Amino acid sequence: MIIGLTGGIGSGKSTVAKAFEALGIGYVDADDVAREIVEPDEPALSEIADHFGRHLLKTDGSLDRAALRERIFNEPSERAWLESVTHPRIRQRIVERLQVLKRHSPYVLLVSPLLFESGQAALVARTLVVDVSMDTQRERTLRRDGVSAAQIEAILAAQLSREERLVRADDVLDNDGDPERLKAQVAALDERYRHMSETNSPQEPKRS
Ligand code: ADP
């Protein structure tokens, strides 16, 4: 059984994933995979360099992400081309990685900020949304990343709204509380998910 874990920036996805990991649950982070598939020696990187030009590579041969972002900014067809090259590879790598993890984990997590937006939700049996108020989200992101308030607002505006995410959630973890509360909720969810995977019944009625 694969559980999709998502939430907005700074909601606590990584923290929640690590709490599951501490209970013996394997996870794949879609952001890590998205970075991996454009590393030097990966076929996607050669395709990108052939298409956009080698000036998008840094001197060490790695992808200049900032230059690429700039290149596709306001260029929907170029963005679509890039996604046609990267998305299938990301998806395939995620699936392979989850298969390996499944051997040693009663169920596995796919952690993805864009679970609903990217179509990756199709890979999972259930979705778990980490939910926080927007004030908490702003405050924790500011403290973690030290970015400007304006940058955070831009990211928030580009992401799915809190309400849209909650409508799609099978399960919700309320992370406005302290880390102990987070752990207690993870422990309760872990028990349910273990039971579901043992009985092969991921589609229990929604709780949220
Ligand atoms: P995401 O992966 O969703 O962007 P993180 O897991 O990195 O979010 O959490 C954002 C920041 O908030 C991190 O610095 C993390 O340590 C902190 N954090 C997460 N959950 C809590 C909590 N319940 N109480 C206090 N700080 C938290």
Side-chain angles (χ1 to χ4, degrees):
M1 184 171 81
I2 305 171
I3 307 287
L5 172 60
T6 191
I9 182 170
S11 59
K13 293 177 294 298
S14 312
T15 311
V16 168
K18 289 194 187 96
F20 274 103
E21 190 176 47
L23 301 176
I25 303 305
Y27 70 89
V28 173
D29 185 322
D31 271 355
D32 292 344
V33 175
R35 273 188 289 272
E36 275 175 42
I37 62 111
V38 290
E39 276 171 6
D41 296 332
E42 290 281 352
L45 186 59
S46 324
E47 281 192 44
I48 291 167
D50 288 346
H51 182 85
F52 291 114
R54 302 196 67 80
H55 60 278
L56 284 187
L57 301 182
K58 296 185 192 164
T59 43
D60 66 358
S62 66
L63 181 62
D64 186 341
R65 301 175 154 276
L68 179 60
R69 263 197 305 276
E70 209 165 293
R71 178 67 184 77
I72 63 170
F73 184 71
N74 276 342
E75 295 266 11
S77 64
E78 295 296 8
R79 176 183 291 272
W81 180 86
L82 180 65
E83 289 178 351
S84 77
V85 168
T86 55
H87 283 190
R89 289 196 165 93
I90 293 170
R91 195 184 168 96
Q92 193 195 348
R93 191 75 57 98
I94 285 173
V95 170
E96 287 167 7
R97 197 71 47 85
L98 288 170
Q99 290 297 345
V100 173
L101 290 173
K102 270 182 185 171
R103 294 184 204 144
H104 303 288
S105 186
Y107 61 92
V108 290
L109 303 176
L110 168 56
V111 185
S112 176
L114 299 175
L115 186 73
F116 297 123
E117 297 92 320
S118 67
Q120 286 165 359
L123 297 173
V124 309
R126 287 186 80 78
T127 58
L128 169 60
V129 166
V130 185
D131 180 55
V132 289
S133 71
M134 290 190 75
D135 282 346
T136 302
Q137 212 180 345
R138 289 187 181 99
E139 186 196 315
R140 289 186 186 156
T141 306
L142 269 175
R143 202 181 314 146
R144 184 193 58 187
D145 298 344
V147 292
S148 73
Q151 277 169 306
I152 292 182
E153 292 312 313
I155 294 168
L156 288 175
Q159 293 191 332
L160 214 57
S161 74
R162 184 181 180 190
E163 290 71 27
E164 285 168 310
R165 232 180 255 114
L166 288 175
V167 165
R168 292 168 167 82
D170 291 312
D171 305 309
V172 178
L173 189 154
D174 169 6
N175 192 26
D176 268 314
D178 62 24
E180 286 311 311
R181 256 200 85 215
L182 179 156
K183 277 192 201 150
Q185 291 178 82
V186 167
L189 286 163
D190 176 58
E191 210 169 294
R192 280 178 64 212
Y193 293 156
R194 282 177 193 261
H195 180 72
M196 285 178 180
S197 66
E198 274 162 22
T199 56
N200 203 16
S201 55
Q203 298 308 335
E204 171 191 278
K206 288 187 182 189
R207 279 194 161 187
S208 49

